[in-house]
Amino acid sequence: MRKTVPGERHRQLTVGEVSARSGVAVSALHFYEAKGLIESLRSEGNQRRYAREVLRRVAVIKAAQRVGIPLAEIRTALGALPSGRTPTTEDWRALSAGWRADLDARIERLTRLRDALDGCIGCGCLSIRDCPLRNPRDIMAERGPGASTLEPD
Amino acid sequence: MRKTVPGERHRQLTVGEVSARSGVAVSALHFYEAKGLIESLRSEGNQRRYAREVLRRVAVIKAAQRVGIPLAEIRTALGALPSGRTPTTEDWRALSAGWRADLDARIERLTRLRDALDGCIGCGCLSIRDCPLRNPRDIMAERGPGASTLEPD
DNA sequence: ATAGAACCTCAACTATAGTTGAGGTCAAGG
DNA sequence: CCTTGACCTCAACTATAGTTGAGGTTCTAT
């Protein structure tokens, strides 16, 4: 049972410590590692040992998830961080700026959807041929053709 | 191969027809039925036959999904429709009004998140103890205690 | 009557994001 | 030294929202 000894600030972290400090379950940390989002060294006895940087990385993962970015994309974004040196504040800033754009797009999409829904509440539609809610093309540009409600009820 | 015969407007629909008219795959229609979102009668030979109302129901399901409502909730909402009579425009209006509130909440949550992210981009945080992105409590009221980043890096 | 499209069921598989449990090992306080 | 909590791997399971395929049946146009 490891106690936090004052002055021991540079020791590597065990998986349990990272879990406690980040609020992420041990199983999730294993999972992130399997998916290539975080890395660990191993002790003599094959136990994970994390550099302190991992805490920020996990924090970034959590933040991105809250923004709605899937893990695969987070992995890619983290992979774009400079290898070799510890990422700087500026590196993290660039990451969040990218996600900010994503977030904007999602907000805009939902807002358009809300406006469409408002129109539908007003007009009592959802049954009418060109209800915006039923013809997503009007709400967002969908990629590919994709069948859509072209016929009336 | 059924052709649409003019004047045959009250015939029940086959699953293929519903699929073609709604843009939803046959497999998905089976799936919705299994989950209790739609219903069908059966022909002599055990094939699905749908009342025309199912088209509107499927349209509502699609609209709700676009708004981000999970199928289980859509099922519940549809279950609240008056049984016996065919739902009126007013019934559908009530449904969409409920989802509108949901949508509003989601937009507000994302907007708060965006503001937090803006702050983080500005201050170069994500590492600082009380970064709003790392302390979701500040962004949205979470239900339950739940571990959170209480310790600094 | 019959070909073939459309339909049926049921099980298995996809993807995402993990959690849970079995069976076994490691490490540190007493 | 030895117990006990923390750790290890790997497989299986959860939930959501379906899709795919096998094997067999029905419908309908010709």
Side-chain angles (χ1 to χ4, degrees):
Chain A
M1 226 170 276
R2 258 173 215 280
K3 293 256 165 63
T4 301
V5 180
E8 213 191 340
R9 292 221 136 289
H10 299 296
R11 197 177 34 72
Q12 293 181 321
L13 301 165
T14 68
V15 72
E17 285 165 342
V18 173
S19 173
R21 279 165 180 269
S22 67
V24 169
V26 169
S27 64
L29 292 172
H30 285 189
F31 182 75
Y32 293 159
E33 188 171 325
K35 292 282 175 185
L37 282 101
I38 57 175
E39 278 176 14
S40 63
L41 301 170
R42 295 303 176 110
S43 71
E44 282 281 292
N46 195 38
Q47 299 196 349
R48 286 169 180 83
R49 290 297 179 264
Y50 295 96
R52 302 193 72 84
E53 268 92 63
V54 87
L55 287 174
R56 200 193 296 216
R57 234 178 143 84
V58 171
V60 169
I61 293 167
K62 285 177 74 183
Q65 282 204 291
R66 236 170 290 127
V67 169
I69 315 290
L71 285 190
E73 266 177 62
I74 301 174
R75 199 199 65 85
T76 304
L78 288 175
L81 286 175
S83 55
R85 67 178 167 76
T86 296
T88 63
T89 294
E90 181 52 31
D91 294 326
W92 297 121
R93 198 204 59 77
L95 268 196
S96 19
W99 290 330
R100 153 80 208 229
D102 223 280
L103 190 46
D104 265 350
R106 196 166 12 269
I107 289 172
E108 204 170 285
R109 178 187 167 282
L110 287 183
T111 303
R112 269 198 297 273
L113 206 44
R114 175 173 64 187
D115 293 345
L117 193 52
D118 277 351
C120 287
I121 290 176
C123 77
C125 70
L126 274 176
S127 63
I128 288 150
R129 187 192 330 252
D130 41 23
C131 168
L133 261 183
R134 299 188 54 186
N135 288 289
R137 253 171 263 278
D138 300 339
I139 296 171
M140 47 182 172
E142 281 185 323
R143 50 281 193 227
S148 194
T149 29
L150 299 170
E151 297 193 60
D153 283 359
Chain B
M1 226 171 275
R2 257 173 215 280
K3 295 256 166 63
T4 302
V5 180
E8 214 191 340
R9 293 223 135 288
H10 298 298
R11 197 175 33 73
Q12 293 180 321
L13 301 166
T14 67
V15 72
E17 285 165 341
V18 173
S19 173
R21 279 165 180 270
S22 67
V24 169
V26 170
S27 63
L29 292 171
H30 286 187
F31 182 74
Y32 293 159
E33 186 172 326
K35 292 284 175 184
L37 281 101
I38 59 175
E39 277 176 15
S40 63
L41 302 170
R42 295 304 178 110
S43 70
E44 284 280 293
N46 195 39
Q47 298 195 350
R48 285 170 181 81
R49 290 297 177 264
Y50 295 96
R52 304 195 70 85
E53 268 92 63
V54 87
L55 287 173
R56 199 192 298 216
R57 234 178 142 86
V58 171
V60 169
I61 292 167
K62 286 178 73 184
Q65 281 203 291
R66 235 170 289 128
V67 171
I69 314 291
L71 286 188
E73 265 175 62
I74 300 174
R75 199 200 66 85
T76 305
L78 288 174
L81 286 174
S83 54
R85 66 176 166 81
T86 296
T88 64
T89 294
E90 181 52 34
D91 293 327
W92 297 121
R93 199 204 59 77
L95 267 196
S96 20
W99 289 329
R100 152 83 209 226
D102 223 281
L103 190 46
D104 266 350
R106 197 167 8 270
I107 289 172
E108 205 170 284
R109 180 189 166 283
L110 287 183
T111 302
R112 268 198 298 273
L113 206 44
R114 177 172 63 187
D115 293 346
L117 193 52
D118 277 349
C120 287
I121 289 175
C123 77
C125 70
L126 275 176
S127 64
I128 287 150
R129 185 193 330 252
D130 41 25
C131 168
L133 262 184
R134 300 190 51 185
N135 289 286
R137 252 171 265 276
D138 300 339
I139 296 172
M140 46 183 171
E142 282 185 323
R143 49 283 194 228
S148 195
T149 28
L150 298 172
E151 296 192 61
D153 284 357

